[in-house]
Amino acid sequence: MSAPTRPTPLIIDTDPGVDDAVAIMLALASPEIELLAVTTVFGNVPQPRTTENAGRLLALCDRSDVPVGRGATRPLVHPQRKRAEAWHGGDGLGGRAEMLPAPAAEPDPRGAVGLMAAVLSAASEPVTIAGIGPLTNIALLLAVHPELAPRIGRIIVMGGALGEGNISGVAEFNIHSDPEAAHRVLTQPAVPVTMVPLDMTLRCPAGPAWIETLASGGSRCAALAETITHYRAAYLARYGIDAVALHDAVAVLEAVTPGVLATTPMPIQVACDLGPARGATVAFADVDAPSVLVAVDAEVDAVLTEILTRLLRLG
């Protein structure tokens, strides 16, 4: 008889954010992973709010034992050009943050990078890091603690676009928020990276039936569905489709069930100039450059069903 598989240790670095909320709750609903920490970064809304939101989501799921590390408040070099309150509401959770329980624990005093370093140092096996916001914290971790790179199993990034962007014609929001940090993470050779770009996540829109099933799944699922309301309206206004793209949850599902997304290796560079292409992720041919595994395909219906089925476990 084979030994039972141990859960994959996971850190989520995030800027909640409605789709971040779905992703965090997906991780908490998945026994295949052990969520060791949540670290927060500026992004959809300012960092104090993303930190509070992370604490509220953990409290909602009775998982305040998971430490929260407060991270970067701004990009590495240049100021963040745009936030995403139009999509996520001024509080980041569609105007519904106050409906969730208050955080039950204070943020870890070591901060995001210190907490990640401590988790990696103590881990008995490689840890996956899911970066579902701007990549500032992860870039700092790799720069300050290069000795810990062997303890990272892989980095899964929700970000980038090989086609049209969502914050500019060519750039996706997370990468555009700190292109220098993204370039640092996506071009380093020490840790394997899987990039889940906008091209992939926009193919996974959850429609009215999905949202209604979630809302009927119990008090936690209903609270999550309520946060989606504003995001759903913004998505309809932008794309003309009554649905929501589960960007970050698609990336976290790849952490939960590796291989659920089909990938292909590509060297990726990030445009870090200050012109209109800032934040663009560009695939290029260079046999000497490290390759990122870019998610290019998935069975979309299966992905949406898997995310919903897992969330419903939370009740």
Side-chain angles (χ1 to χ4, degrees):
M1 180 182 296
S2 60
T5 303
R6 296 181 60 182
T8 299
L10 177 69
I11 296 170
I12 295 180
D13 188 69
T14 179
D15 61 334
V18 174
D19 55 326
D20 305 74
V22 178
I24 291 168
M25 291 179 66
L26 170 64
L28 295 173
S30 299
E32 296 90 343
I33 63 100
E34 180 184 5
L35 185 58
L36 299 179
V38 174
T39 53
T40 61
V41 65
F42 72 93
N44 290 315
V45 290
Q47 181 258 58
R49 175 59 76 174
T50 66
T51 303
E52 179 182 330
N53 288 350
R56 287 183 180 277
L57 290 163
L58 291 169
L60 175 67
C61 297
D62 292 327
R63 287 301 311 273
S64 296
D65 58 299
V66 177
V68 174
R70 186 188 287 118
T73 59
R74 55 152 292 158
L76 292 179
V77 182
H78 300 287
Q80 184 185 20
R81 291 186 174 182
K82 297 180 181 179
R83 292 203 296 261
E85 287 95 339
W87 288 91
H88 299 274
D91 65 357
L93 294 178
R96 270 70 171 183
E98 299 298 326
M99 296 174 60
L100 304 183
E106 291 294 319
D108 191 286
R110 293 169 289 190
V113 174
L115 176 57
M116 285 193 282
V119 168
L120 293 171
S121 296
S124 59
E125 58 186 293
V127 177
T128 297
I129 300 177
I132 57 175
L135 296 176
T136 315
N137 292 336
I138 299 174
L140 289 169
L141 174 70
L142 294 172
V144 175
H145 294 288
E147 75 283 359
L148 295 178
R151 294 181 173 269
I152 305 172
R154 65 171 172 157
I155 299 169
I156 301 174
V157 172
M158 191 282 118
L162 300 181
E164 183 179 352
N166 64 351
I167 196 68
S168 75
V170 293
E172 179 275 332
F173 177 82
N174 286 342
I175 304 301
H176 185 267
S177 294
D178 193 344
E180 287 78 14
H183 191 75
R184 175 69 174 82
V185 173
L186 295 174
T187 61
Q188 53 79 34
V191 181
V193 177
T194 298
M195 187 177 95
V196 183
L198 198 65
D199 316 69
M200 179 72 257
T201 61
L202 283 176
R203 292 176 53 201
C204 300
W210 192 100
I211 297 169
E212 289 163 13
T213 302
L214 177 68
S216 65
S219 59
R220 291 176 181 139
C221 289
L224 179 60
E226 190 66 25
T227 70
I228 289 174
T229 303
H230 178 90
Y231 186 60
R232 181 180 181 180
Y235 196 91
L236 177 62
R238 168 69 182 266
Y239 295 105
I241 301 171
D242 184 13
V244 291
L246 305 177
H247 303 293
D248 296 335
V250 174
V252 167
L253 185 64
E254 172 62 25
V256 172
T257 57
V260 70
L261 307 179
T263 59
T264 189
M266 301 180 191
I268 297 289
Q269 288 190 345
V270 181
C272 294
D273 62 275
L274 299 179
R278 180 167 174 78
T281 44
V282 181
F284 67 105
D286 185 345
V287 294
D288 297 321
S291 288
V292 171
L293 289 177
V294 178
V296 294
D297 198 11
E299 294 185 17
V300 171
D301 289 344
V303 165
L304 290 170
T305 299
E306 189 69 20
I307 292 171
L308 179 60
T309 299
R310 289 170 180 274
L311 290 172
L312 292 173
R313 296 172 183 171
L314 295 172

